[in-house]
Amino acid sequence: MVSPHGIKLAVYLISSYFGDLNAKVCECLLQRGTQSLAQIVRFTELSRENVRNCLLVLIHHNCVQAFAVQQEGAFGEAPKVITNYMALFDNIIHKLRFPKFLEIVSEVLGEKVGKEVGKEVGKECEEIFEGLLQHGRLSLNQIIDRFKQTSNQGDSSAEAARDNFNKLVNARFVERCPAPEPFLGPSAEEETAAKKQGAKSAKIVKQTIEQRALAAAAPMESMRFLVETDTWNEASVETTDKKTTVVTLGTKRKQDNLESNTELLATDENKVLWRANFEEFIRRLRHKACVANVKVRVNNDAAIVLAATLELSRHSETKVRIDNSVPQSINAIYDEVIKRDGGLGMDLERIRASLVELGCETPLMAIDETYSVDLKNVIEQARIEEVESIVLKRYGREAYRMFRLLSKADRLLETDKISDTTFVEKKDAVKILFKLWKDDYLEMKKVIARGARQSEFILWKINKQSLWEHVLDEMYHAALNLRLRITHEQEQEKEILQMPREKLVKELHSELHNRYNRLRKVRITLESSLMNLDDALMLFRDF
C-alpha cells in the first residue's frame, strides 16, 4: 500500500525525468493498481499510441513491469491472454538515491584495487554504472560502445569496459533484467492444490498477483549474475543478428495478423539486457545504517562486531532473511573483526560481550558456538529514535518524555500515570497527549468504570505499525516539498544558470556573481537536506 504523498512524489519524479504524459500513465497505475492497456487508455484519456509509447519508456527504465494473465472469455468464446501493467513504486523512488548508488560503486570497487589505481578504476566503473542509471537497460555491446565514446583509451577501451563491467557484476551492482512479460497461470489451480495439502496449507500466506508477477519475471539465481563470454564476441553477435533477421522476415506475415499487447515488448531473445541491482545497494545502505545506529546507541565495539557479522552473511542474505543476520561461528566472527579498524585489539571475550549487547543469546553448547544478530530489533530502535527526534522538535521536551515512555510501555497507560512518571502537570499532559493523538502519533481508548460512582479513564498507547506509515507519508510530503523548492530556485535563476561560467568568474562581487553564489548555497543546503531525509525514508520503507 502506497501512501498519498508517496504517490505524489513518485509522479513528480517521473514527470521530472520523462515528462507529463509518462507521469499521467504512472499516476493511473499507482492510484488504480494493476491495469490493462485498454483500461489505462480509458482512465488517462490518452490515445492508444501515446499510452503504448509511455509504457515502453517506463518499462525500459524499470518503473513498470508487464505480465500476462489468462482471462475467461464470454459464453462460447475461448479464454484470452491479457497483458497487465503494474507500477514499481520502489524503483521510482530509488531515483532519489542515484548519487548514493554511484558513491558506493566508486568506493567499493576503487578500494578493491588499491589507492594508486583505485580512484581511476572506481571512476571508470562509475561511468559504466551511470550509463545504466541514465538509460535503464543496456546490452553489453551498448555498454562497451558508450564507454568507447566517453573514454580516451583508444583500442584498449573495449577490453577495459569488459573488465569494469565484470567487476560490477561480481559485486552484484548489476544484474540481468527480468523477463519482459511472464505468463501467470490460472490461480484457481493453485487454490485447488492448496486445499489438497490439508490444514498445513492454511498457514501459507497467499501472494498477490503483483508478487507472483515479480517472482515469475525474476531470472533464476544461477543466471542473474552470469556473464556469457560469447556476448563479447562481435562476430558472433553479428551472425546472431543476421539469423534473427531471417527468421523475422520469414514470419512477418503471420505476425502482422496478430494484434496483441505483447507487441509493446518485442525484443530479440538472444540479446541479454542488464540493469542496476537496487536490492544490493539497499542491502548495503541498510547494513551501514544499522552499524551507525549501534555505534551511537551501544558502543564502538558492538558496531565493529555487527559490521563483521553482516559482512560474513553478505552473500547468504536474501530478501526473506533481512530480520536476522545469517548465523556465524564465533571463530569466523573473530577472524573478520580483527581485519577491521579498531578490531585488532579485541579478544573473544570482548566480542562475546558485544554480541550479548547486540541482543544475541549465549549458546548453550560451546562446541557449536554460533550467533545471529536481530536486525529487526536494531532497525526498530532506529525508527523509534527517529520519531522521538521529530516529536522533540515539533512538540517540545515534555511531549518527548511522554512519547518515550509510551514507546517503551508494553501496555496502555492512563493519563495520571503518564503525568506522574514524566513530571508533567496533568493539565499540560492532557493538552500534549490530545495534540499527539490529533496528529496521529498516539492512539486513545476511553474506558468507563461502572460501580457506585461511574468514572471515565483515558488510556494511551503507540501503534507502531500505523505510526510508521503515518511518519513515512509525512516524510514523502517533506521530500516532495524539497524537490519542488529546488526546482523553483532553479527556475528563478534560469538566466544565471544559462550564462557561461567564465563570465560569472570575471564579474566578481557583481550582482550576478552574488546571485550565483546564493543559488549555489541554497542548492547545496536543499539537496543535502533531501539526502538526509532520504536516509529516514529508507529506514521506514526499505529497511
Side-chain angles (χ1 to χ4, degrees):
M1 185 68 181
V2 183
S3 66
H5 286 107
I7 292 175
K8 289 180 180 179
L9 176 60
V11 171
Y12 179 78
L13 289 173
I14 293 295
S15 177
S16 301
Y17 281 92
F18 310 117
D20 293 338
L21 287 182
N22 288 289
K24 194 169 186 179
V25 171
C26 184
E27 184 177 16
C28 174
L29 291 173
L30 287 170
Q31 289 186 339
R32 297 179 179 273
T34 300
Q35 303 284 312
S36 67
L37 180 62
Q39 289 173 318
I40 298 170
V41 170
R42 184 168 78 252
F43 291 129
T44 59
E45 298 181 351
L46 298 174
S47 69
R48 189 181 183 86
E49 190 63 28
N50 278 340
V51 172
R52 284 165 60 86
N53 291 335
C54 289
L55 288 171
L56 185 61
V57 169
L58 294 171
I59 289 170
H60 191 77
H61 285 273
N62 309 301
C63 299
V64 167
Q65 174 67 51
F67 61 94
V69 292
Q70 185 172 301
Q71 191 177 72
E72 293 297 327
F75 181 74
E77 293 182 1
K80 297 179 181 179
V81 176
I82 303 295
T83 302
N84 287 333
Y85 303 91
M86 57 182 286
L88 303 177
F89 173 78
D90 290 327
N91 284 7
I92 298 170
I93 300 299
H94 285 332
K95 291 186 177 296
L96 287 172
R97 292 149 197 161
F98 283 179
K100 293 178 182 177
F101 296 166
L102 288 168
E103 185 180 357
I104 290 173
V105 168
S106 182
E107 287 179 0
V108 173
L109 297 182
E111 286 176 2
K112 287 185 178 180
V113 181
K115 291 183 179 178
E116 295 181 2
V117 293
K119 287 185 178 179
E120 187 63 30
V121 172
K123 187 179 179 182
E124 290 176 358
C125 292
E126 187 180 337
E127 285 177 6
I128 292 174
F129 187 75
E130 187 176 10
L132 283 170
L133 294 181
Q134 288 176 354
H135 298 281
R137 303 180 179 197
L138 291 173
S139 68
L140 182 54
N141 290 320
Q142 288 172 326
I143 291 170
I144 292 172
D145 290 341
R146 186 180 180 278
F147 187 80
K148 285 179 180 178
Q149 293 172 2
T150 56
S151 68
N152 300 318
Q153 299 185 27
D155 296 336
S156 62
S157 60
E159 193 63 34
R162 291 167 188 153
D163 291 340
N164 291 325
F165 177 77
N166 240 348
K167 291 183 178 73
L168 287 166
V169 176
N170 290 335
R172 300 199 171 194
F173 292 146
V174 173
E175 65 177 355
R176 290 190 179 212
C177 290
E181 188 184 343
F183 175 74
L184 302 184
S187 58
E189 294 177 6
E190 295 181 2
E191 292 177 5
T192 305
K195 289 178 182 177
K196 291 180 180 178
Q197 290 177 2
K200 290 184 179 179
S201 63
K203 297 179 182 179
I204 300 173
V205 179
K206 187 178 178 182
Q207 286 186 317
T208 63
I209 192 168
E210 289 82 8
Q211 290 171 332
R212 290 175 58 210
L214 290 176
M220 292 188 299
E221 200 64 26
S222 59
M223 297 291 294
R224 189 177 172 192
F225 304 103
L226 178 63
V227 181
E228 297 178 357
T229 53
D230 292 340
T231 58
W232 292 348
N233 190 330
E234 294 179 6
S236 65
V237 172
E238 289 176 5
T239 306
T240 304
D241 289 342
K242 288 177 183 177
K243 289 180 181 178
T244 306
T245 305
V246 173
V247 172
T248 305
L249 291 171
T251 56
K252 191 175 191 310
R253 291 184 181 179
K254 292 182 181 178
Q255 289 177 350
D256 287 342
N257 294 329
L258 297 176
E259 288 187 2
S260 170
N261 290 336
T262 55
E263 293 173 4
L264 180 68
L265 302 165
T267 55
D268 180 5
E269 291 180 355
N270 296 317
K271 196 179 201 180
V272 178
L273 295 178
W274 299 86
R275 69 173 187 177
N277 178 18
F278 296 139
E279 181 187 324
E280 174 66 18
F281 289 99
I282 293 299
R283 185 192 61 75
R284 287 179 180 269
L285 290 168
R286 178 173 65 245
H287 289 180
K288 184 179 178 181
C290 288
V291 172
N293 177 264
V294 166
K295 187 174 183 178
V296 174
R297 186 168 52 86
V298 186
N299 54 48
N300 191 51
D301 285 359
I304 294 171
V305 172
L306 176 60
T309 307
L310 294 175
E311 179 61 28
L312 288 170
S313 63
R314 184 165 66 89
H315 294 298
S316 306
E317 186 180 335
T318 63
K319 288 181 180 179
V320 182
R321 302 191 64 174
I322 62 169
D323 290 349
N324 295 84
S325 65
V326 178
Q328 302 292 340
S329 68
I330 186 66
N331 292 326
I333 295 172
Y334 173 77
D335 291 341
E336 184 62 33
V337 165
I338 60 176
K339 296 176 186 176
R340 299 184 167 271
D341 293 339
L344 188 60
M346 295 181 69
D347 56 19
L348 287 173
E349 287 306 313
R350 283 176 65 186
I351 292 173
R352 287 190 182 100
S354 296
L355 288 165
V356 171
E357 288 177 320
L358 288 169
C360 301
E361 294 182 3
T362 307
L364 297 175
M365 296 179 65
I367 301 173
D368 185 25
E369 191 178 355
T370 60
Y371 294 88
S372 177
V373 180
D374 185 0
L375 290 182
K376 185 178 180 181
N377 181 58
V378 174
I379 291 168
E380 183 166 307
Q381 290 299 320
R383 287 173 176 173
I384 290 171
E385 289 176 5
E386 185 68 32
V387 180
E388 285 175 354
S389 68
I390 294 172
V391 171
L392 177 61
K393 292 174 184 175
R394 190 177 295 179
Y395 303 101
R397 187 158 294 278
E398 291 180 340
Y400 165 77
R401 292 205 303 269
M402 288 188 282
F403 184 87
R404 188 174 175 83
L405 173 66
L406 287 165
S407 68
K408 294 181 178 180
D410 55 357
R411 58 187 177 86
L412 291 161
L413 294 182
E414 200 263 329
T415 307
D416 289 339
K417 174 71 174 175
I418 297 171
S419 175
D420 295 340
T421 307
T422 57
F423 303 104
V424 179
E425 290 289 335
K426 186 177 179 180
K427 183 180 178 182
D428 296 331
V430 171
K431 288 181 180 178
I432 293 170
L433 289 168
F434 269 99
K435 177 64 175 172
L436 290 169
W437 168 73
K438 185 180 178 182
D439 292 344
D440 296 323
Y441 280 79
L442 298 180
E443 286 191 358
M444 177 183 65
K445 186 176 181 181
K446 292 183 179 180
V447 178
I448 298 175
R450 302 185 183 278
R453 184 181 176 185
Q454 183 173 305
S455 56
E456 182 182 79
F457 295 93
I458 299 178
L459 304 177
W460 307 89
K461 73 168 184 175
I462 293 175
N463 184 332
K464 289 180 181 177
Q465 190 56 44
S466 62
L467 177 60
W468 300 158
E469 293 172 2
H470 171 69
V471 170
L472 181 61
D473 188 57
E474 286 189 334
M475 288 179 176
Y476 283 137
H477 192 185
L480 176 60
N481 286 339
L482 281 171
R483 289 282 301 195
L484 290 170
R485 179 64 187 275
I486 292 170
T487 305
H488 172 71
E489 291 290 341
Q490 290 174 334
E491 286 292 327
Q492 267 195 330
E493 304 294 351
K494 188 185 293 185
E495 177 191 351
I496 295 176
L497 292 173
Q498 292 174 349
M499 289 180 65
R501 182 72 184 271
E502 295 78 13
K503 186 176 180 181
L504 290 170
V505 173
K506 286 180 182 178
E507 297 185 16
L508 289 172
H509 308 297
S510 65
E511 183 184 351
L512 287 175
H513 190 268
N514 292 335
R515 283 170 62 190
Y516 173 78
N517 282 336
R518 176 199 163 276
L519 176 62
R520 181 171 162 274
K521 290 177 183 178
V522 168
R523 279 188 62 181
I524 290 172
T525 302
L526 292 174
E527 287 173 1
S528 62
S529 298
L530 184 59
M531 288 297 101
N532 292 333
L533 179 59
D534 182 56
D535 290 338
L537 278 174
M538 287 189 289
L539 179 63
F540 286 90
R541 172 72 185 185
D542 301 286
F543 297 172

